[in-house]
Amino acid sequence: MKKGNGSTVQSKKKIISIVIILCGVFVLQGCNTGNGDASTSNIDIANNLVSDLFEGEEIEDAEGFNKIKDSTDQEKIDEAREAVESVDEIVREDGEENEDDELIYELHSALFHANYQLQERKTTTELPRNTVPEEDAQDDEQIEEELPEYQPDENDVVWKNNQLKNKNTLEEFIKVAGENGKDNTSEIRVVKDEGPQGVLIYDLESRYDENADQSWIRVTPDLSYYNALENETQDVFNNAPQQCGYMAKDEEQGFYKFYECRTHWEYHFLPLT
């Protein structure tokens, strides 16, 4: 099904507490028999690490999500994320959809909210309001000095200074990639220039499974040329490789968008120019 009501889906998910999400994970986990004992063991580990980030079900924040524990820090969140990504790689090794997709989505969603709450905690406890650290004034210079330089290939689709280079390449890919095409295995690279913070790189590959007669788009983010600011909340879309159904132009909202992705029903990828 294409172009569903993404906002309705997202709003419904937002009102579900993390504890309900994790309870659902346990139920789905009990049903998981397709990937063998090793996969089940990895799911157990990932689920326990994510669950341990949060307080009990009676302690919720203003948005209705369980609050993270006082002991939860970036190291614990990163450890849980590595475990979830390990499960993600095992489950998606064959590139096909399976019964664990919803489970993995819920774990990623929980990690996103844990990281968001941690960043909120840092901004409210580490610095007095309206206080700007002296080193922040040098952020741009430090980023430029520390980041490796990425030189886009002439065929890369590049978003820079509100302009899109090789726009035709992107639109030709959209026409045939994923569910929009049939038996298509094309691929492109998209580079989003974020100024002094560096660039975000996305490798887009259209895949087709003849046995399942199914097409999709594999999106692999690369953040090695990008330096997030200290208090920047990480976009969950960039946490790990994505599997999306298709891409399209949304003229009304003014974006090229991914649809039916693992972590988003729809995702605003690039502005239309």
Side-chain angles (χ1 to χ4, degrees):
M1 178 178 64
K2 297 187 178 182
K3 298 185 180 178
N5 191 336
S7 61
T8 301
V9 173
Q10 294 298 326
S11 62
K12 287 182 178 179
K13 288 186 176 295
K14 190 172 183 181
I15 64 174
I16 302 175
S17 71
I18 290 298
V19 67
I20 294 177
I21 287 175
L22 296 176
C23 287
V25 168
F26 278 121
V27 172
L28 289 170
Q29 181 178 315
C31 298
N32 175 41
T33 57
N35 294 307
D37 293 340
S39 176
T40 301
S41 176
N42 286 334
I43 290 174
D44 288 340
I45 293 172
N47 181 69
N48 289 337
L49 288 172
V50 173
S51 299
D52 194 50
L53 300 174
F54 297 91
E55 295 282 4
E57 61 183 89
E58 74 281 0
I59 304 176
E60 298 180 348
D61 64 10
E63 298 295 330
F65 293 103
N66 274 39
K67 288 187 177 181
I68 57 175
K69 295 178 178 178
D70 291 340
S71 59
T72 296
D73 56 18
Q74 192 64 57
E75 183 178 354
K76 290 184 178 180
I77 293 177
D78 290 343
E79 181 183 3
R81 179 176 290 113
E82 288 179 6
V84 174
E85 290 178 357
S86 177
V87 172
D88 198 350
E89 291 178 2
I90 293 173
V91 169
R92 299 182 180 282
E93 190 172 12
D94 57 5
E96 298 182 9
E97 292 185 0
N98 56 69
E99 61 188 13
D100 292 321
D101 285 355
E102 182 67 17
L103 180 154
I104 294 172
Y105 169 83
E106 305 296 6
L107 289 176
H108 276 293
S109 179
L111 284 170
F112 172 78
H113 290 290
N115 194 72
Y116 178 81
Q117 289 185 41
L118 181 62
Q119 298 304 320
E120 287 289 297
R121 177 195 294 171
K122 288 180 179 179
T123 58
T124 57
T125 61
E126 292 183 354
L127 293 173
R129 184 171 295 182
N130 298 327
T131 298
V132 179
E134 294 181 2
E135 57 269 20
D136 280 1
Q138 302 175 359
D139 273 351
D140 288 352
E141 294 180 4
Q142 292 176 352
I143 291 173
E144 290 177 355
E145 293 174 359
E146 296 173 3
L147 279 175
E149 182 180 358
Y150 178 77
Q151 185 63 41
D153 185 81
E154 62 178 8
N155 296 319
D156 289 350
V157 176
V158 180
W159 170 259
K160 182 177 182 180
N161 297 329
N162 294 321
Q163 294 185 344
L164 188 62
K165 176 185 176 183
N166 291 331
K167 177 179 178 180
N168 290 339
T169 299
L170 175 62
E171 296 195 346
E172 287 300 318
F173 176 81
I174 290 174
K175 289 179 183 178
V176 299
E179 296 175 10
N180 289 340
K182 175 72 173 179
D183 192 14
N184 181 267
T185 57
S186 60
E187 58 184 75
I188 61 173
R189 170 167 286 188
V190 177
V191 180
K192 295 173 70 174
D193 192 306
E194 300 292 338
Q197 288 180 252
V199 298
L200 295 167
I201 300 172
Y202 301 88
D203 287 314
L204 278 51
E205 181 181 1
S206 179
R207 293 185 175 183
Y208 174 71
D209 187 328
E210 184 176 357
N211 294 327
D213 191 26
Q214 181 182 6
S215 299
W216 69 94
I217 300 174
R218 178 78 167 179
V219 184
T220 305
D222 181 357
L223 278 66
S224 57
Y225 296 88
Y226 178 79
N227 195 345
L229 298 179
E230 182 178 357
N231 294 324
E232 181 177 336
T233 301
Q234 187 177 22
D235 188 342
V236 68
F237 191 85
N238 296 324
N239 283 349
Q242 295 277 341
Q243 181 170 307
C244 301
Y246 63 100
M247 291 185 71
K249 291 173 65 174
D250 188 327
E251 299 284 357
E252 182 176 346
Q253 294 188 9
F255 278 90
Y256 294 100
K257 294 163 65 175
F258 286 108
Y259 290 86
E260 299 177 11
C261 301
R262 175 171 52 79
T263 58
H264 295 69
W265 183 251
E266 58 181 53
Y267 182 80
H268 294 69
F269 185 50
L270 289 171
L272 299 179
T273 56

